[in-house]
Amino acid sequence: MRRPVFRLPAWLPVDGYLLALLGTVGLAALMPARGAAATVADGASTGAVALLFFLYGARLSTREAMDGLRHWRLHLATLACTFVVFPVLGLAARFLVPFVLPPALYTGLLFLCLVPSTVQSSIAFTSIARGNVAAAICAGSFSSIVGIVVTPLLAGLVLHGDGGGFSAHSLVSIVCQLLLPFVAGQVLRRWVAGFLTRHKKVLGYVDRGSILLVVYAAFSAGMVQGIWHQVSPLRLLCLLGVEAVLLAAMLTVTSYGSKKLGFPRGDRIAITFAGSKKSLAAGLPMASVLFGAQAGLAVLPLMLFHQMQLMVCAVLAKRYAARADAEPPPAVGPDGSGPDRGGSAVGVDPVQRESEHQRAGR
């Protein structure tokens, strides 16, 4: 007899993995790593980041990435939202310091604006909304690839003097922990791709476990240094308010901007979800490299924004789907075939879409 597995209700828009992250933060608050344990945790965290980016490189099909470049207008729109509009809004929020946000939280908010887009959740929400799933796959993957190089470069430009940026040490760390493992994964892909495919589920736990280790090391260092005394509950509420405005602004820009640019409905949905969201999985390892011991507060805005975007986009995706269901069926053309609906997920089983929704936060 199989034991029942605990699952969050489908109607509850809370990412179960985020609950695990919050539990890890609580563990670091109660039992932070000190002394020799901290040295071990830091070393394990460094190795975990390198492993993550090796797996990213090994899983990425070079041919699929090159094929995705054909849809260059959609990619350009998504990248512009992710790496231009987001950073500009982050820089504009500087006037909130120190009256609304303390410098440490503002640094984290600005770093949030530099992180690449998500892949899994963008795909899942686009599918639920009956959008162009293929475009979402390409846009999210391409954003992640570009972000490995662009995010550290932007951090070096805009975080200078804000607790981040480039030094000789951080440059070497970025190359050794991010770029070299990613390139090694690409080079060795032809030999390890089969193994990764056969053990996809187990390696998924490795991914998430590695990120939990990075979070524990970062927040342990913050507890030991006493940086959490710098943030009051009122400041956290202010941060949530600022992030709500940021997310609303980006959803507006992506939705109406893609419509003004003449994209079809399916592509607009893909741009809306891929261009307005940020990747927790990519951002946490990058923060540990860029900020070191100060990564605890730096990743807090990203963690909060991640949960907020999941909750809001879950509601938005269902509204898109409801609108699609309410629309009359497309007219049949002279050749007997209906018009293309922009790659929408027509024919996807509703149960499958619900399952994708539950996996959206991974």
Side-chain angles (χ1 to χ4, degrees):
M1 182 177 179
R2 299 179 63 180
R3 295 181 178 179
V5 179
F6 173 75
R7 299 181 185 276
L8 290 173
W11 53 265
L12 185 62
V14 177
D15 180 14
Y17 185 54
L18 184 68
L19 295 179
L21 287 170
L22 295 176
T24 303
V25 173
L27 179 63
L30 296 174
M31 295 185 294
R34 302 176 184 271
T39 302
V40 173
D42 288 340
S45 175
T46 299
V49 171
L51 175 62
L52 277 173
F53 279 85
F54 173 81
L55 293 175
Y56 291 159
R59 289 169 179 161
L60 176 67
S61 170
T62 306
R63 185 181 65 181
E64 291 177 358
M66 297 305 296
D67 289 343
L69 291 175
R70 297 174 183 174
H71 208 345
W72 63 270
R73 289 184 68 243
L74 185 142
H75 289 314
L76 190 61
T78 304
L79 292 176
C81 293
T82 304
F83 297 115
V84 178
V85 181
F86 252 117
V88 168
L89 292 178
L91 290 171
R94 187 182 294 272
F95 76 92
L96 300 174
V97 181
F99 306 104
V100 178
L101 297 177
L105 285 184
Y106 171 71
T107 298
L109 179 70
L110 189 53
F111 173 72
L112 150 70
C113 294
L114 310 180
V115 172
S117 179
T118 60
V119 180
Q120 291 93 337
S121 56
S122 295
I123 296 169
F125 285 133
T126 300
S127 177
I128 294 170
R130 319 291 179 82
N132 190 337
V133 178
I137 294 172
C138 293
S141 301
F142 195 53
S143 175
S144 297
I145 298 169
V146 172
I148 292 175
V149 176
V150 172
T151 296
L153 290 177
L154 288 177
L157 292 174
V158 305
L159 292 179
H160 181 69
D162 286 307
F166 277 136
S167 64
H169 176 72
S170 63
L171 179 60
V172 172
S173 297
I174 289 167
V175 172
C176 294
Q177 291 183 247
L178 305 184
L179 296 182
L180 287 183
F182 181 83
V183 173
Q186 279 282 283
V187 172
L188 298 176
R189 171 178 165 76
R190 59 181 300 182
W191 293 284
V192 302
F195 175 83
L196 296 180
T197 301
R198 290 191 301 272
H199 299 85
K200 183 177 181 180
K201 184 175 181 179
V202 175
L203 290 174
Y205 290 116
V206 172
D207 280 355
R208 285 170 278 174
S210 299
I211 294 174
L212 291 177
L213 180 58
V214 171
V215 171
Y216 176 76
F219 279 82
S220 288
M223 288 298 300
V224 172
Q225 296 179 6
I227 61 175
W228 297 108
H229 297 296
Q230 305 172 18
V231 183
S232 65
L234 178 60
R235 295 288 194 176
L236 288 178
L237 289 176
C238 291
L239 174 63
L240 286 172
V242 171
E243 291 190 336
V245 173
L246 176 63
L247 179 58
M250 288 308 304
L251 287 172
T252 301
V253 169
T254 52
S255 177
Y256 289 96
S258 59
K259 186 175 182 179
K260 290 294 184 182
L261 291 174
F263 285 98
R265 177 187 179 277
D267 287 356
R268 294 201 304 270
I269 291 174
I271 293 172
T272 298
F273 289 122
S276 64
K277 298 164 83 271
K278 292 295 184 176
S279 173
L280 188 67
L284 289 177
M286 289 182 180
S288 69
V289 176
L290 291 170
F291 297 99
Q294 304 298 322
L297 280 181
V299 301
L300 184 60
L302 178 59
M303 292 177 64
L304 296 176
F305 188 84
H306 174 81
Q307 178 59 34
M308 185 182 297
Q309 72 185 10
L310 290 179
M311 297 175 68
V312 173
C313 289
V315 175
L316 187 61
K318 290 185 177 181
R319 288 188 177 181
Y320 274 125
R323 291 178 186 174
D325 292 337
E327 292 177 357
V332 178
D335 59 350
S337 62
D340 184 9
R341 295 185 65 178
S344 61
V346 178
V348 178
D349 185 76
V351 175
Q352 178 183 350
R353 289 199 301 270
E354 279 300 317
S355 176
E356 289 171 339
H357 167 57
Q358 293 174 15
R359 297 196 304 267
R362 295 181 185 176

